[in-house]
Each structure stands twice: as structure tokens, then as C-alpha cells.
């Protein structure tokens, strides 16, 4: 029997491990399927990480290194090149690697930190052929940044999420010509700073309310037809424009990687595609915790680390003291606010609710109420779907509440 | 003259309005913190960027690198050429200088490779 097993050695897994050790847990094991710790950060070689956490601007690998160093200093055990195949409700883990073969472990607590994968759905709805030259933006990032292979010379990017924006700049710097970034919505899903420094700096056009309607080419991509869309996101046919290109990158969003969580029967939210958790990031299965991108997609790794600290600390307490649920308050949202993490509160201490909105709202008031009673309201000049928001409730404010309702009042 | 900018120093991305008279920045609005003001002044006089890329190691693998301070924006491509022309001798650790004095900055490794 192991005390704590952590699945995934990205920033979430490492940060949870460090906090659990600092909270007094000696027996910790991280299982990582890759050949190095650091997760997706190893391919995110651009800077912009760690401003919140460390007050300095780091690249992805540097941010990961800060944690890896700590993991090594604390002597936390980890196994690389080890893929977890299965977990059960009673916390039995099946994993495999080339030296141990297939092996089983039982753990007092598990932390899920498997990160996320890219959506590829966007491609399927496009008419035309399926030639070579179509990649997800993250795959292209892996090729360019870890293998030194440039997927193409003439590029169109569909979707304006941060990875797409980062790759527009990256491929430009490596000598490719990025013809356009098409975004079906009227706003970009990426951070304003990335529009500025990845597109505007290089005069790459961002075509809002545009999508790719047809793919051309037999074996290799030869071009795409793009068109403007109407209010219902249907292409307006007389706005069609042909752009010759040999590469199409899809940057249409990330989705938590929860195949394993489902095997353990962890309740999954249909909105976040991650586990439903309480303030300690404990899932519906006792002793199984989740944090980082496997729980909900974060834009900033700083918040991933913060969340992982919560999970690491709570897992440590659980290992030492077992479950101690005192209350159960569900949190509901009005749709303008799409979801919150946590979705349920089981202890009346201070809690920060993280959430995302479904559209761009200006001059909005975030309201938290319990039945007819308003608990808190906060004004925000601007809210956007691309940016995670948070609001903190004091223990005494939630004490005695039955169900919390989060809504947005827009003037 | 007024110029609109998006501050790129942190993920908040504040929208800045800069008032310029006789090529001097006389007022910055819209910034949430002091760094935004510094950014606006630089952006209107000598815009600078940190360059991140990868360099080839002597065993054919890649190591990620960056300029350890921002360099003038118009030097980005020249900086890329310098990065692409070096071969890094292994082993290399985070922070090791790969090329010295590149447009007022150094190219340093951001990954460990051995
Ligand atoms: C392309 C891209 C660009 C980004 N840019 C920025 C940025 O500029 N600034 C910023 O702050 N944030 C950025 N982020 C966000 C940040 O990198 C992520 O939020 C963070 O890395 C998530 O950490 P994680 O540990 O949850 O997941 P990951 O880093 O994805 O780590 C998950 C780990 O789990 C392992 N794993 C998965 N399944 C298994 C299994 N079955 N068995 C064993 N191991 C498994 C994986 O190999 C991986 O190492 C970016 C993210 C991406 C994808
Ligand atoms: S002004 Fe300050 S808070 Fe606003 S984006 Fe710039 S650095 Fe961030």
C-alpha cells in the first residue's frame, strides 16, 4: 500500500507532490508516461509563465524546472516512461513500463493530474479532401519545438486560441508565412497580449467571424476556402475566398483527459469535461483528488500550480485523518456564468470559486446568493470566455447556506 | 497625438491610451500597474521583445533558448539567424549562456540537456 500516488508529472502533479510532502506525507510516487517531468510545458518554449507565482517572466521549460528541482531536492519518488492504464474506485492503479512490465499499486489517496488534449473535432465538419498537412496546433508545436521539424511553409490557422496564436509567431520566426488566423466568433479566445505580440507584431491578419469552409488538395494540402459567417455562425457563401497553403493548423480548444477518471467512476461535469470536485479538489470518489488541466482547462499555469497545492494539502490531510465532510452545499450557475470549480462545498472555510463566462460582458456584476439572500456581489469592467475569473467567499458567508447561485447582472 | 496599445507585460492585457507630444510620451492611461506605464513609454520610443526559440545541440537534439532580456523589435529576425547558426555543446543547463552580447542581451538555455 502506498500513501499517495500522483498520475501525471506536469506542473499540476509536481506541485501537488511538493505540497503533500511539505504537509508531512513521506510516501509519494509520481507516475509519468513521458521521458521527462514537466508535461506540456516542455514544448511551450515561449515566455509568459510564472508572473503571478514567481513575479518573473519564465518560459515553460524554466517554470517546469523550478518544480522539478524541488521534487528532486525533496527526494520525491517518480517513475518516467510509465503509463497508467487503469484506476478503480478503491484506488487500485494499474500501470506499465518497460522495466516493471504491468504492475498494480494500491494507494490511500490518488491525485489525478493527467492534463488535457486538443480537440480535433473542428476539422471533421469541413467539406473537401483530407490531404496531409493538417495538424492540431499543439502537435505542430511539438514538431517544431522538440523535433525541429517545420510542418510547412504556407500556413492558415483555424481558431484563435492561445496555442494557435503562439504557433503563428513561432512558425513565422522559423521562416513560414502565416496567411491568416480565422476565428468563427466575433472575439478571439486567446489573450490580448498574444494577439498583440504574436499576430500584430508580424502583420498576421486575424479574421474574426471567419471559418474554413473547404479543404483542397489530393495528397498534400494545396489551399483552403475561407468565408465570413453570419450571426448563426453559418458561412456567407458570396464571401468565399481561396487561400493557397500547404499547412492548416487547428487551434480549436482543449479538453480534459479523463479516460482514467471515468474508469474509476468519478462523476464528470458535462460542462468542464473534468471531475466534479469540492473545495479540496476531492472528486465524487473518496480519496481521489484532481487538479490542473484534467479538472478544467486553465490558461495560466500559475493557477494550475495553485490548484495543485490545494489538492496536495487536502490529500495529505485525508491520508492522515480520513474523510471529514461537515456540510454539502451545491453551487449552481445562471448560464452566463458557465461553470464553477469547485461545484460543491463540503466544509465551511474560506473558498475561492473559479469560473468562466459564456460571452463577452462589459460592466457586469457577479452576484452570489443563497435562496433570496444575496451573499456577495462584485463589479467587473470586462469578462471574457477566454479568461478564467474567480471570487472568494468567507467561511462565515457560506455557513448555513443550502445552495449557492452564481449569476451575472449585466447593465 | 493619442496612441492605443495593448500592454503585453502580463496576461491581464490592459488597454493603454498613450498621449504623445513632440515624440515624448506625456501621459499613459488604462494601465493597472506601473509596469504598464514603463511598457508604453518603451513601446513608443524603442519597442523591445524577448525572443524564444530552439538551438541545435552537438548530438542533433534541440534545446530551448531565449534572450535574457528584451531586444529591439526590429532585430528579431537577425537574432533568429544567430540562434539558428550555433551548435550547442552538451551538457547544457538552464541559464547557461549560449551566445554572448546579442543586441544588448545574451542567448541563454531554458532547458537542461545532456
Ligand atoms: C500549447 C500551450 C500553450 C500554453 N501557454 C501558456 C502560457 O503562455 N502561459 C501560461 O501560464 N500557461 C500556458 N499554458 C497552460 C499551461 O501550460 C497548462 O495549464 C499546464 O501545463 C497544465 O498543467 P497540468 O499538469 O495540468 O497538465 P500537463 O502539463 O498536460 O501534464 C500532464 C502530464 O500527465 C501525463 N499523463 C497523462 N496521462 C497519463 C497516464 N495515463 N499515465 C501517466 N502519465 C500521464 C502527461 O504525459 C503529462 O506529462 C499553455 C498550454 C498549452 C497546451
Ligand atoms: S498594465 Fe500592469 S496589469 Fe495591465 S497588462 Fe500591463 S503589466 Fe499587466
Amino acid at each position: 500500500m502506498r500513501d499517495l500516488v500522483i498520475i501525471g508529472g506536469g506542473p499540476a502533479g509536481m506541485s501537488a507532490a511538493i505540497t503533500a510532502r511539505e504537509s508531512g506525507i513521506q510516501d509519494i510516487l509520481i507516475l509519468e508516461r513521458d521521458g521527462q517531468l514537466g508535461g506540456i510545458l516542455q514544448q511551450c518554449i515561449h515566455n509568459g509563465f510564472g508572473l503571478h507565482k514567481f513575479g518573473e517572466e519564465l518560459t515553460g521549460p524554466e517554470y517546469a524546472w523550478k518544480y522539478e528541482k524541488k521534487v528532486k531536492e525533496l527526494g520525491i519518488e517518480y517513475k518516467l516512461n510509465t503509463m497508467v492504464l487503469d484506476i478503480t474506485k478503491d484506488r487500485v492503479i494499474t500501470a506499465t513500463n518497460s522495466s516493471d512490465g504491468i504492475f498494480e499499486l494500491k494507494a490511500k489517496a490518488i491525485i489525478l493530474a493527467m492534463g488535457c488534449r486538443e480537440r480535433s473535432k473542428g476539422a471533421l465538419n469541413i467539406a473537401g479532401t483530407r490531404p496531409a498537412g493538417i495538424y492540431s496546433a499543439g502537435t505542430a508545436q511539438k514538431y517544431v519545438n522538440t523535433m525541429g521539424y517545420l510542418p510547412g511553409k504556407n500556413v492558415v490557422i483555424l481558431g484563435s486560441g492561445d496555442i494557435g496564436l503562439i504557433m503563428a509567431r513561432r512558425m513565422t520566426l522559423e521562416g513560414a508565412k502565416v496567411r491568416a488566423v480565422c476565428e468563427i466568433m466575433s472575439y478571439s479566445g486567446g489573450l490580448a497580449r498574444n494577439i498583440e505580440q504574436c499576430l500584430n507584431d508580424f502583420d498576421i491578419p486575424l479574421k474574426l467571424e471567419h471559418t474554413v469552409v473547404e479543404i483542397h488538395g489530393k495528397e498534400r494540402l494545396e489551399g483552403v476556402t475561407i468565408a465570413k459567417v453570419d450571426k448563426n455562425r453559418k458561412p456567407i457563401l458570396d464571401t468565399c475566398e481561396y487561400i493557397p497553403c500547404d499547412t492548416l493548423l487547428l487551434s480549436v480548444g482543449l479538453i480534459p483527459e479523463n479516460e482514467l477518471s471515468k474508469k474509476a467512476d468519478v462523476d464528470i461535469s458535462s460542462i468542464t469535461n473534468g471531475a466534479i470536485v469540492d473545495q479540496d479538489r476531492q472528486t465524487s470518489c473518496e480519496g481521489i483528488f484532481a487538479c490542473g488541466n484534467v479538472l478544467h482547462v486553465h490558461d495560466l499555469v500559475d493557477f494550475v500550480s495553485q490548484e495543485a497545492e490545494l489538492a496536495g494539502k487536502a490529500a495529505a490531510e485525508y491520508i492522515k485523518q480520513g474523510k471529514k465532510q461537515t456540510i454539502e452545499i451545491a453551487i449552481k450557475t445562471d448560464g452566463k456564468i458557465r461553470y464553477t470549480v469547485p461545484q460543491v462545498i463540503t466544509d465551511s472555510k474560506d473558498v475561492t470559486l473559479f469560473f468562466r463566462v459564456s460571452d463577452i460582458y462589459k460592466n457586469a456584476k457577479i452576484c452570489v446568493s443563497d435562496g433570496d439572500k444575496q451573499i456577495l456581489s462584485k463589479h467587473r469592467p470586462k469578462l471574457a470566455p477566454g479568461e478564467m475569473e474567480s471570487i472568494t467567499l468567507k467561511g462565515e458567508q457560506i455557513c448555513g447556506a443550502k445552495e449557492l447561485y452564481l449569476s451575472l447582472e449585466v447593465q | 497625438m493619442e496612441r492605443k496599445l495593448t500592454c503585453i507585460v502580463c496576461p491581464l492585457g490592459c488597454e493603454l491610451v498613450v498621449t504623445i507630444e513632440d515624440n515624448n510620451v506625456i501621459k499613459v492611461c488604462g494601465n493597472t500597474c506601473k509596469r504598464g506605464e514603463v511598457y508604453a513609454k518603451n513601446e513608443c520610443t524603442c519597442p523591445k521583445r524577448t525572443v524564444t526559440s530552439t538551438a541545435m545541440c552537438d548530438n542533433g537534439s534541440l534545446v530551448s533558448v531565449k534572450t535574457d532580456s528584451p531586444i529591439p523589435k526590429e532585430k528579431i529576425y537577425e537574432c533568429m539567424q544567430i540562434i539558428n547558426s550555433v551548435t550547442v555543446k552538451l551538457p547544457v543547463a538552464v541559464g547557461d549562456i549560449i551566445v554572448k552580447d546579442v543586441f544588448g542581451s545574451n542567448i541563454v538555455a531554458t532547458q537542461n540537456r545532456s
Side-chain angles (χ1 to χ4, degrees):
Chain A
M1 174 84 99
R2 306 285 308 222
D3 275 351
L4 176 59
V5 175
I6 297 173
I7 306 174
M14 289 195 287
S15 175
I18 292 164
T19 311
R21 170 59 57 85
E22 287 168 349
S23 309
I25 302 301
Q26 288 307 312
D27 178 26
I28 302 174
L29 174 64
I30 304 175
L31 301 175
E32 167 56 53
R33 76 176 160 203
D34 209 2
Q36 60 184 341
L37 294 172
I40 197 81
L41 291 180
Q42 294 293 359
Q43 69 180 62
C44 300
I45 64 162
H46 57 279
N47 58 336
F49 299 82
L51 269 162
H52 282 268
K53 194 87 198 156
F54 299 109
E56 54 178 321
E57 217 186 358
L58 303 168
T59 64
E62 289 172 308
Y63 188 94
W65 174 237
K66 285 205 180 260
Y67 284 88
E68 185 178 338
K69 223 167 31 189
K70 198 84 192 272
V71 164
K72 288 179 170 157
E73 273 165 22
L74 293 173
I76 295 170
E77 193 186 342
Y78 58 88
K79 280 182 192 284
L80 301 176
N81 299 306
T82 303
M83 171 90 174
V84 175
L85 304 171
D86 191 36
I87 51 177
T88 68
K89 226 181 164 68
D90 2 295
R91 302 184 298 277
V92 177
I93 297 159
T94 312
T96 177
N97 65 31
S98 57
S99 53
D100 304 315
I102 293 186
F103 58 98
E104 265 187 14
L105 291 168
K106 177 136 173 70
K108 286 185 192 154
I110 294 177
I111 297 179
L112 306 171
M114 291 91 75
C116 59
R117 61 187 155 76
E118 283 177 288
R119 276 181 211 272
S120 52
K121 241 183 13 205
L124 301 175
N125 306 328
I126 307 171
T129 52
R130 288 290 173 273
I134 305 173
Y135 305 89
S136 71
T139 306
Q141 186 180 48
K142 188 168 188 172
Y143 283 160
V144 179
N145 293 348
T146 69
M147 299 186 242
Y149 163 72
L150 192 66
K153 282 272 176 201
N154 270 297
V155 188
V156 171
I157 299 177
L158 176 59
S160 64
D162 285 314
I163 315 175
L165 302 178
I166 295 284
M167 282 314 289
R169 172 177 65 181
R170 184 74 187 114
M171 292 194 64
T172 305
L173 286 179
E174 291 295 349
K177 172 86 192 149
V178 179
R179 305 268 156 196
V181 175
C182 295
E183 169 59 57
I184 196 162
M185 305 298 281
S186 57
Y187 52 86
S188 163
L191 296 170
R193 70 196 298 254
N194 285 338
I195 308 247
E196 190 61 28
Q197 61 183 351
C198 298
L199 301 187
N200 297 351
D201 271 5
F202 300 95
D203 296 319
I204 299 168
L206 171 61
K207 290 177 167 288
L208 295 174
E209 299 178 307
H210 273 74
T211 190
V212 172
V213 290
E214 195 174 349
I215 292 169
H216 308 271
K218 277 209 182 78
E219 258 137 54
R220 176 79 201 192
L221 182 66
E222 285 167 11
V224 295
T225 303
I226 68 166
K228 203 169 159 38
V229 297
D230 63 18
K231 283 200 298 291
N232 305 314
R233 293 191 226 161
K234 291 270 173 298
I236 306 167
L237 288 179
D238 56 7
T239 63
C240 280
E241 179 190 345
Y242 178 80
I243 306 182
C245 61
D246 58 16
T247 307
L248 174 65
L249 298 190
L250 307 171
S251 174
V252 289
L254 300 164
I255 178 161
E257 173 93 61
N258 272 299
E259 305 317 314
L260 282 178
S261 325
K262 284 176 194 153
K263 287 187 179 169
D265 271 337
V266 164
D267 287 345
I268 301 286
S269 152
S270 59
I271 305 172
T272 59
N273 290 300
I276 292 174
V277 291
D278 67 10
Q279 71 290 334
D280 292 334
R281 304 303 184 264
Q282 182 157 211
T283 68
S284 60
C285 296
E286 196 183 317
I288 302 184
F289 298 77
C291 56
N293 276 354
V294 76
L295 185 54
H296 57 139
V297 175
H298 296 66
D299 337 282
L300 290 181
V301 70
D302 310 60
F303 295 139
V304 168
S305 304
Q306 233 174 47
E307 179 168 270
E309 286 165 16
L310 283 179
K313 184 158 179 277
E317 273 166 22
Y318 174 81
I319 291 166
K320 290 189 276 188
Q321 296 158 18
K323 189 165 174 154
K324 51 163 194 354
Q325 173 166 357
T326 48
I327 49 172
E328 181 159 336
I329 308 171
I331 304 165
K332 298 275 187 284
T333 61
D334 67 346
K336 290 196 200 86
I337 294 177
R338 281 181 56 224
Y339 71 82
T340 63
V341 167
Q343 290 93 341
V344 44
I345 297 176
T346 59
D347 193 5
S348 46
K349 56 187 177 190
D350 295 0
V351 58
T352 301
L353 305 177
F354 291 88
F355 62 92
R356 275 181 201 275
V357 294
S358 57
D359 203 343
I360 289 192
Y361 298 104
K362 291 207 165 131
N363 264 326
K365 215 163 77 183
I366 305 158
C367 304
V368 186
S369 55
D370 169 27
D372 298 334
K373 194 173 95 200
Q374 178 145 336
I375 294 180
L376 187 71
S377 80
K378 275 254 156 76
H379 176 262
R380 287 280 200 290
K382 190 182 165 198
L383 296 145
E387 281 158 47
M388 198 163 75
E389 293 283 338
S390 67
I391 189 163
T392 300
L393 303 175
K394 292 254 168 254
E396 59 264 24
Q397 287 176 310
I398 43 180
C399 186
K402 288 195 187 62
E403 183 180 283
L404 295 182
Y405 187 69
L406 246 76
S407 58
L408 211 59
E409 269 175 28
V410 189
Q411 273 109 43
Chain B
M1 190 187 77
E2 277 195 352
R3 199 176 146 189
K4 286 200 169 124
L5 293 174
T6 304
C7 179
I8 62 167
V9 179
C10 92
L12 224 57
C14 296
E15 310 221 349
L16 312 177
V17 181
V18 191
T19 314
I20 305 170
E21 260 172 36
D22 302 327
N23 284 326
N24 287 318
V25 174
I26 56 164
K27 201 172 98 196
V28 180
C29 300
N31 55 310
T32 307
C33 76
K34 192 84 188 141
R35 288 181 300 183
E37 193 181 317
V38 176
Y39 170 78
K41 287 188 174 151
N42 283 335
E43 194 65 11
C44 294
T45 48
C46 171
K48 289 186 170 177
R49 297 288 183 267
T50 297
V51 177
T52 62
S53 189
T54 52
M56 185 70 85
C57 301
D58 54 14
N59 70 348
S61 69
L62 294 180
V63 60
S64 57
V65 299
K66 69 172 185 186
T67 56
D68 65 1
S69 60
I71 62 162
K73 199 167 140 182
E74 73 273 9
K75 300 293 183 196
I76 292 178
Y77 284 104
E78 276 171 72
C79 179
M80 281 298 293
Q81 275 174 0
I82 294 170
I83 294 171
N84 286 339
S85 65
V86 295
T87 306
V88 179
K89 210 170 140 325
L90 293 177
V92 62
V94 175
D96 284 0
I97 295 181
I98 309 283
V99 190
K100 262 205 159 104
D101 295 329
V102 177
F103 308 116
S105 156
N106 299 306
I107 311 284
V108 297
T110 58
Q111 259 169 347
N112 300 304
R113 288 285 175 262
S114 51

